[in-house]
Amino acid sequence: MTDAATLDRMNPPHLIVTASGAATREVPLLEELTIGRAEDNDLTLLDPKVSRHHACVSKQREQFTVADLGSANGTFVDGVRLTAPHVLRHGESILVGDVTLTYLEPGRPSATTLVTGIPTAATQAAQAQRATVTLPARRESRGPVIGLILAGAVLVLAAILVGAYVLLPGLFGRDQATPTGTTVAEITATTVATPAPIETPVATQMPTPTPVPITQTELNDRLDSARAITLRSQFENAITIYRELASRAPTDPRPEVGWAWALILDGESDMALPHAQQAVKLGPEDVDAAVALARTYVDLGNKAEALAEAERAVALGPNKAAALAVLAEALRLDGRYQEAADRADLALVQDINNADAHRARGWLYWVEDEDMGRANDDLLIALALQSELWLRRHEFGELLLGAEDYTTAIIAFQDALALRPKAVTYSKIGEAYYALGEFDPARVSLEQAVRLGADDARTYALLSNTNAKLARCDDARVYFDDALSLEPSNELALEARTVCAAGASATPVATAIVEVTPTPGPTPRPTRVLLAADLGGSIAFPVYNGETSQYDVYVSRIDGSGRRRVLDGFDQPEFSPDGRWLAVRGVKPDQRALFVVQADGSSIKKVSQNVEDNQPSWSPEGGRLLFASTKDQPGHPKALYIIDPIVLEGARIVEGQRVETGRGPVQGEDPFWMPDGRLVYKGCDYTVTPMSCGIFTISSDGGQFTQLTKNENDAAPSGSGGRIAFMSNRDGNWEIYVIRDDGTHLRRVTSNAADDGLPTWSPDGKSIAFVSNEGGPWAVWAVNADGSGRHKLFDIEGSGMDAGWLHQRISWVP
C-alpha cells in the first residue's frame, strides 16, 4: 500500500506561472524553491522588475510559506506586500515583478489551467507586461519598430495554419510528398513516432563491418522520424538515426542530407560540411543535397562556393522553394540584395509555408531596408512554422537585439534556451543585459556562455567590460586577455584594460552590439583563481636521475610538502583509484616490465612479463590494468592490452588480453582508462586513406572506436567528467588542450613559449596538473580546467625531465 508521504511526493502542491494572462508553466513544490532573475535560482524569471534573488517558497512542517528576500520591488500575495514570511493557502497568487505564481494544492478545484499551445513568451508578447510584441502591417517606411504586437502574430499564425492545411507538404520547402529525395529542410509538421533518446557521440566512428540491410519502407519511415526529431531540436538523437541509416544505405544521399541539416539547424555548419559534401557525392543530381551544401557554405561565409552551389540547386529544381530560398541567402551574402529579394519572393510564391524562404526574406528586409516591421513579420512566420526549432527562436531574438528591443530579445532568447541550452544564446542574453546597463545579470549569462563553450572575442570582450564596470578587475583581466589574443583591436576589451589599469570602473553605458550570425565555439572559463591552498591530495611524478640516467618515482602532497622517493629505476606512475597502489614501469635491465607497488614503496609486485609493456592505467574499480605494448608484433605500432584481473597475492601473472576492434587490434599508445569505463588513447584510423591520427575512445570491450581529434601530434590524454585533457604541439610548442568526450568544444588551456604536458585531472575534476619548464627548471603546475589561474605547485628538482619526457605521466589522487 502506498503511504501518505509517498502520495505527497507523487502529487505535491505546485505553482502555476502566469504570463500575459495565460498560465504557461507548472512548478512542483517539494522542499524549497528559490525565485529570481539570476540563473542559480530554482525558478529563473528574466524580468527586469525581478531581483537577482527575489523570493523563496519553502516547506515548514506541512505548510508552504513564501518570503521576500529583500527584493527591490517587493513580493505581493493577493495584492499585499510581504513584510514577513506568509503561509500560503490554496488559490493565493504571488506577484513577483510582473509574473504571477498561483499556489495550488492537489485535489482541490482551480480556475487556473495550463496553456499548452505552441507560442511561448517572446511570441506572445513577453511574460506578463515586460514587453509588448507588435506585428505592424507591411509598409514601405524604413527605420526600426521597437515594439511588437501579439494580436498581429496570432492573425499571421492563423493564416499560416489555413495555408498549411492546404500546402502542408511544403513546410520546409517540399513541393510534394515523395518517398525519396526529401531533406530535413522540407519537414512537415506531422507528428511521427520517435525512438527513445540515445546518448551517442557525434564524433566520427569506424563503420560497422557488416551493416544490416534496410528496406525502402523502413528507410523512409526512419528518415521521417529523424526529420521530426530534428524539428524538435533533438539533434543528437536525430544524428544517431542518420548515422545508422548512412551505414545501412551507403549509396542513398538522404541520410547524409539529413545529418547535414541536423547540424546546420544546431548552428554547427562547420561539422555539417563533410556530410553535405558526401550527400552531393552520392547524389550529384539530387537537388536536396545541393541545397544542403549551399546552405552550409552560406553559414560558413564562403561566398563563391555558396553562390555556385545554390545556382546549381536552382538549375536542378527551378521551381523548388528550398533551392530558391538558399539562392536568396547566397545572393544576400554576396551583397546582391535586389536579386536576393526577387529569389526569396519567388520561393514564397512556390511555397508560402517554406520557413527558410520566410527567413531569407525577413533578413533581407532588415539588412537591405532596415524595415523592422516586415523583417519581424517573416521571422515570426518562420518561427510559427517550426516553433520547436531552437534556431528560429534564437534568430528572432537576434532581430530584436538588432532593433534595440533588448527586453523582448531576452525573452526570445530565453524561449530558445528552453529548447536548447546553447552557449551562443547565453552570450546574446548577456549582450542584451549589457546594453540595458544591467551588468550583474549580464555577467551571469556571459559566464554561463563560457561554461558551455563560448570561445569568441565578442563574448570575452563583453565579459571583460562587464566585470570592469562592476569593479571586478581581477576577473576582467582574465577575459580581456582572451579577447585581445583573438582580436587585438577589440574596443570593448581595450576599454576594460584601460579602466582596470586606471584602477576604477567605467561609467555604465548602454551600448548595443549586434552580431547576426551565430558563432558557436569551445570552452569554459570560470573567474576564480586557483591557489595551491585550495587544492588537496597527492601527486605521483617521475624525476630524472642524472647519475643513473634513469627515472625515479616520487610522491608528494599537492603543495610539494611531504616529498618522498618511492622507487628507484621506475617511471610512468599512476595511482589506483583508491590511492593505495601505484602502477609503474620498470626501467632497470632486470625489471623491465610492469609492476604495482603500495604508495609508500612497499609490497612491490611484477604484473607483466614483457619489456615492451608500458604506460599502465588502472580501471575505474581498480581491479584491472590497461597498457600499451608491441609484445605480439615487434616493429609494429603499439596495441592496447588489459590485464584482468591484477593478482596482488602470490607469484601468478595474468597475461594481458589485446583489445580488438572487430577488424584487428586497437593500435595506439598513451592509454588512459576513463571513469565511465571507456578507454582513451593516441592512435590512428588505418581504415581510411590517408590514415587519420589523433585522440580516440573505445569501449574496454573493444568494438567501434570514436575519433575525437585529427592531429597526429595530440598525445597523453586524461579523462574526467565528460572532458579529456591532452597535450599537443599542433601550434608550435607543447600545450595543454581540453575537449569534450564527444569530440566537441576543443580548447587550448595553456599558452606560452614553454613546454607544457602530461596533464592529469584533479580528483574533483575542476583543475589540471601538468609538467612545464616555464622559467627554466621543470616543475609541476596547475591550472583551472578553463585555462585560468595557472600557477606553479612545486619544482620537480633532481635533473627534472629528460628528452623522453613525452612518454612519462603524472597522477593525482585525493
Side-chain angles (χ1 to χ4, degrees):
M1 180 179 291
T2 305
D3 59 25
T6 301
L7 286 172
D8 286 346
R9 289 193 297 271
M10 294 170 60
N11 191 19
H14 53 274
L15 297 176
I16 297 293
V17 182
T18 301
S20 298
T24 60
R25 187 171 172 191
E26 180 178 310
V27 181
L29 296 173
L30 299 176
E31 297 296 331
E32 180 177 271
L33 181 84
T34 57
I35 304 165
R37 199 176 66 237
E39 294 174 9
D40 58 356
N41 289 286
D42 301 312
L43 176 58
T44 301
L45 302 175
L46 289 182
D47 182 334
K49 295 182 181 179
V50 175
S51 296
R52 296 183 70 251
H53 299 96
H54 195 109
C56 178
V57 177
S58 59
K59 189 173 184 179
Q60 306 293 333
R61 297 183 181 177
E62 299 305 316
Q63 298 175 311
F64 280 91
T65 65
V66 58
D68 185 78
L69 299 179
S71 65
N73 294 314
T75 303
F76 298 80
V77 175
D78 284 351
V80 179
R81 184 165 183 161
L82 294 181
T83 58
H86 171 80
V87 177
L88 288 167
R89 293 187 292 272
H90 175 73
E92 286 185 326
S93 294
I94 307 166
L95 185 64
V96 178
D98 285 331
V99 180
T100 299
L101 310 171
T102 304
Y103 174 74
L104 299 178
E105 295 175 349
R108 301 186 62 178
S110 170
T112 305
T113 57
L114 188 64
V115 175
T116 58
I118 289 173
T120 57
T123 55
Q124 290 181 338
Q127 297 178 14
Q129 297 173 356
R130 282 184 274 170
T132 303
V133 178
T134 306
L135 265 179
R138 290 188 180 268
R139 62 196 187 287
E140 299 304 321
S141 61
R142 299 169 66 89
V145 176
I146 303 306
L148 300 163
I149 257 186
L150 177 61
V154 172
L155 291 174
V156 172
L157 181 57
I160 291 166
L161 293 177
V162 173
Y165 181 79
V166 179
L167 300 171
L168 189 58
L171 264 182
F172 244 107
R174 194 173 181 176
D175 297 317
Q176 57 183 353
T178 58
T180 62
T182 53
T183 72
V184 174
E186 302 171 351
I187 305 174
T188 72
T190 305
T191 301
V192 298
T194 60
I198 303 172
E199 296 291 338
T200 302
V202 179
T204 304
Q205 291 190 333
M206 188 176 76
T208 305
T210 54
V212 179
I214 188 168
T215 65
Q216 275 298 313
T217 299
E218 182 186 358
L219 176 60
N220 293 338
D221 289 345
R222 296 279 282 160
L223 286 169
D224 286 341
S225 177
R227 294 183 192 112
I229 292 171
T230 298
L231 275 183
R232 292 200 291 273
S233 300
Q234 297 174 14
F235 303 115
E236 290 88 353
N237 296 337
I239 287 170
T240 297
I241 297 174
Y242 286 127
R243 179 187 295 112
E244 175 200 343
L245 297 181
S247 173
R248 297 177 66 187
T251 62
D252 194 316
R254 290 177 296 164
E256 293 289 351
V257 170
W259 195 337
W261 273 105
L263 291 165
I264 290 167
L265 297 174
D266 194 24
E268 304 286 355
S269 291
D270 56 338
M271 298 173 63
L273 181 59
H275 298 288
Q277 290 172 329
Q278 177 66 10
V280 169
K281 181 178 179 181
L282 292 173
E285 302 302 315
D286 189 307
V287 62
D288 301 318
V291 168
L293 184 55
R295 173 60 183 273
T296 305
Y297 284 138
V298 167
D299 287 354
L300 295 175
N302 298 350
K303 295 181 183 180
E305 295 92 336
L307 197 55
E309 197 62 28
E311 288 173 342
R312 193 176 75 85
V314 171
L316 290 170
N319 298 319
K320 194 172 184 67
L324 291 163
V326 80
L327 180 55
E329 298 272 23
L331 289 165
R332 175 169 68 87
L333 181 65
D334 199 39
R336 295 156 62 179
Y337 297 134
Q338 187 55 56
E339 294 177 71
D342 292 343
R343 296 303 188 282
D345 288 338
L346 185 55
L348 291 170
V349 169
Q350 296 297 327
D351 185 358
I352 191 63
N353 293 315
N354 186 284
D356 278 325
H358 284 288
R359 172 188 189 264
R361 196 65 185 95
W363 282 119
L364 280 163
Y365 279 127
W366 178 242
V367 173
E368 181 188 12
D369 302 324
E370 296 182 10
D371 188 337
M372 177 61 182
R374 292 186 175 189
N376 173 70
D377 284 0
D378 276 301
L379 286 192
L380 266 181
I381 292 171
L383 189 159
L385 285 165
Q386 296 167 350
S387 60
E388 294 182 78
L389 194 59
W390 162 80
L391 186 63
R392 301 294 178 223
R393 297 191 179 276
H394 177 87
E395 289 189 334
F396 183 50
E398 287 190 317
L399 178 69
L400 297 168
L401 187 63
E404 301 181 8
D405 191 353
Y406 304 122
T407 303
T408 315
I410 289 169
I411 298 165
F413 288 131
Q414 189 67 20
D415 289 343
L417 288 176
L419 295 170
R420 188 80 170 158
K422 297 281 287 185
V424 66
T425 305
Y426 276 107
S427 182
K428 292 298 181 182
I429 291 176
E431 185 173 324
Y433 273 125
Y434 177 89
L436 288 168
E438 297 189 29
F439 300 119
D440 273 323
R443 179 180 61 83
V444 170
S445 296
L446 292 165
E447 286 179 349
Q448 180 66 6
V450 172
R451 279 192 290 272
L452 287 177
D455 190 28
D456 58 283
R458 179 85 67 189
T459 301
Y460 289 144
L462 280 166
L463 195 44
S464 68
N465 209 291
T466 299
N467 278 301
K469 292 180 186 302
L470 292 170
R472 299 165 59 102
C473 280
D474 286 345
D475 295 338
R477 289 187 185 94
V478 174
Y479 296 109
F480 65 60
D481 282 346
D482 274 352
L484 294 173
S485 69
L486 296 170
E487 188 180 306
S489 61
N490 188 285
E491 293 183 3
L492 281 171
L494 291 171
E495 178 188 335
R497 187 173 68 180
T498 301
V499 167
C500 289
S505 63
T507 302
V509 178
T511 304
I513 301 163
V514 181
E515 179 185 332
V516 170
T517 304
T519 53
T523 100
R525 188 169 260 347
T527 57
R528 179 173 175 270
V529 175
L530 169 152
L531 300 173
D534 298 326
L535 305 173
S538 299
I539 284 188
F541 56 99
V543 178
Y544 188 68
N545 188 326
E547 295 181 359
T548 63
S549 299
Q550 296 173 341
Y551 277 94
D552 303 327
V553 172
Y554 283 72
V555 171
S556 81
R557 286 189 283 273
I558 197 67
D559 61 358
S561 64
R563 176 189 180 102
R564 65 186 185 279
R565 184 165 58 187
V566 175
L567 291 169
D568 298 337
F570 291 81
D571 63 3
Q572 298 178 348
E574 185 181 77
F575 277 114
S576 61
D578 61 7
R580 294 180 54 209
W581 295 85
L582 282 168
V584 293
R585 179 184 68 167
V587 294
K588 294 179 180 178
D590 59 341
Q591 292 179 324
R592 296 185 64 189
L594 300 182
F595 293 75
V596 295
V597 61
Q598 290 198 9
D600 62 1
S602 63
S603 303
I604 188 169
K605 173 176 173 57
K606 187 176 181 180
V607 294
S608 84
Q609 299 277 25
N610 307 286
V611 298
E612 301 92 342
D613 302 346
N614 68 99
Q615 299 171 320
S617 179
W618 296 85
S619 61
E621 81 287 352
R624 296 171 290 168
L625 204 66
L626 167 71
F627 63 97
S629 181
T630 58
K631 64 174 187 168
D632 293 334
Q633 294 180 306
H636 287 75
K638 295 176 183 176
L640 304 190
Y641 295 79
I642 293 176
I643 297 172
D644 182 12
I646 301 172
V647 179
L648 298 176
E649 302 294 337
R652 186 166 70 94
I653 293 176
V654 176
E655 186 71 9
Q657 297 300 309
R658 196 167 63 186
V659 183
E660 300 283 342
T661 67
R663 292 187 173 184
V666 178
Q667 293 180 318
E669 55 188 318
D670 296 351
F672 183 89
W673 210 321
M674 296 199 295
D676 66 3
R678 285 180 295 162
L679 314 180
V680 59
Y681 61 98
K682 172 185 179 178
C684 296
D685 181 356
Y686 295 95
T687 68
V688 297
T689 304
M691 69 180 181
S692 180
C693 300
I695 302 297
F696 292 75
T697 61
I698 193 170
S699 166
S700 59
D701 295 324
Q704 292 182 340
F705 57 74
T706 301
Q707 186 168 2
L708 305 184
T709 72
K710 293 187 177 182
N711 192 299
E712 62 182 0
N713 296 314
D714 300 343
S718 174
S720 174
R723 296 165 298 168
I724 294 169
F726 63 96
M727 59 187 284
S728 179
N729 67 352
R730 57 172 63 197
D731 291 328
N733 68 300
W734 291 103
E735 304 283 5
I736 306 298
Y737 294 76
V738 171
I739 194 170
R740 291 187 183 174
D741 61 4
D742 62 357
T744 64
H745 293 81
L746 174 68
R747 175 189 181 80
R748 186 172 69 183
V749 298
T750 67
S751 181
N752 55 60
D755 285 329
D756 300 334
L758 310 183
T760 184
W761 288 92
S762 63
D764 63 5
K766 296 179 180 179
S767 307
I768 301 168
F770 58 98
V771 300
S772 177
N773 58 3
E774 181 179 358
W778 284 94
V780 176
W781 292 65
V783 67
N784 286 330
D786 58 64
S788 65
R790 174 189 176 112
H791 72 289
K792 184 165 70 173
L793 296 176
F794 57 87
D795 289 322
I796 289 177
E797 300 179 1
S799 298
M801 312 290 282
D802 77 337
W805 73 277
L806 299 175
H807 303 291
Q808 293 301 318
R809 68 178 12 156
I810 62 175
S811 182
W812 190 350
V813 293

